[in-house]
Amino acid sequence: MKAGHRLLVLGIDPGTATTGFGLVEAVNNRNKLIHYGTVTTDAAADMSDRLCQISDKINEIITVYKPDAAAIEQIFYFKNAKTVITVAQSRGVILMTAAKAGLKIAEYTPLQVKQSVVGYGKADKKQVQIMVQSILNMENLPKPDDAADALAIAICHIHSCRMAKIYKGGLK
């Protein structure tokens, strides 16, 4: 990245019960934690209400923090078909919300995120948390898992952008 260039990425780990989010800012070669947490919905609520809650909260985060890009985890295979359908619905609402806000959107598989952050595509949750903690100079491990994953997704996008710049002629 050019000297003084700033990139603020909103990482999102989609879910219906819990959606993780994390904002990471990259300035030059340093990553800085801005904010992270989860959006939770009540399992007893109608699916349409839950999806609206997710959209509203993600839109609020975008409005407050004004990220440059959103990085969203792609769905991987679930054993439970019902789970994959509800996560897909959440992902669709999140993609739409980010697109309507005019954000650049990138999507990464769990394998890509782990490879980028840990250096090993089959890393476990704890390894990912430890690397996120180290990369962002956090005192404690990021928790819950959904929020830690969202931070890892944001870091993955930052790494991807840095690599793209290197391939295009180097970091100047």
Side-chain angles (χ1 to χ4, degrees):
M1 292 181 182
K2 293 179 184 173
H5 184 265
R6 171 194 167 274
L7 176 67
L8 179 59
V9 178
L10 170 60
I12 302 173
D13 181 23
T16 307
T18 306
T19 292
F21 69 88
L23 289 139
V24 178
E25 181 181 56
V27 178
N28 302 323
N29 286 324
R30 294 180 188 247
N31 296 326
K32 179 181 173 187
L33 172 64
I34 302 299
H35 183 55
Y36 71 103
T38 58
V39 177
T40 57
T41 64
D42 182 355
D46 289 338
M47 181 56 73
S48 58
D49 291 337
R50 295 173 80 184
L51 294 172
C52 285
Q53 288 173 23
I54 293 166
S55 177
D56 290 347
K57 185 61 179 176
I58 295 298
N59 190 54
E60 179 184 319
I61 293 164
I62 292 168
T63 301
V64 170
Y65 292 95
K66 298 178 179 26
D68 302 299
I72 301 167
E73 189 170 68
Q74 291 180 339
I75 296 175
F76 59 98
Y77 175 76
F78 281 90
K79 292 177 184 168
N80 182 336
K82 186 176 180 188
T83 301
V84 78
I85 290 168
T86 59
V87 172
Q89 289 173 321
S90 172
R91 248 184 119 261
V93 164
I94 291 165
L95 286 166
M96 181 203 66
T97 302
K100 284 180 85 172
L103 296 183
K104 293 179 183 173
I105 299 170
E107 300 176 70
Y108 299 96
T109 66
L111 181 75
Q112 288 173 308
V113 173
K114 291 173 184 179
Q115 184 72 44
S116 176
V117 174
V118 180
Y120 176 60
K122 294 184 180 179
D124 64 28
K125 294 253 183 218
K126 183 78 167 188
Q127 290 170 306
V128 173
Q129 286 176 312
I130 290 167
M131 285 307 297
V132 167
Q133 178 186 21
S134 175
I135 291 167
L136 297 178
N137 297 311
M138 298 172 74
E139 281 188 34
N140 300 308
L141 284 178
K143 291 188 178 185
D145 290 348
D146 305 286
D149 289 350
L151 289 170
I153 294 160
I155 292 166
C156 175
H157 183 65
I158 290 166
H159 288 172
S160 178
C161 289
R162 285 184 179 139
M163 291 306 296
K165 287 191 184 298
I166 289 169
Y167 288 131
K168 288 181 183 173
L171 297 174
K172 296 179 181 159

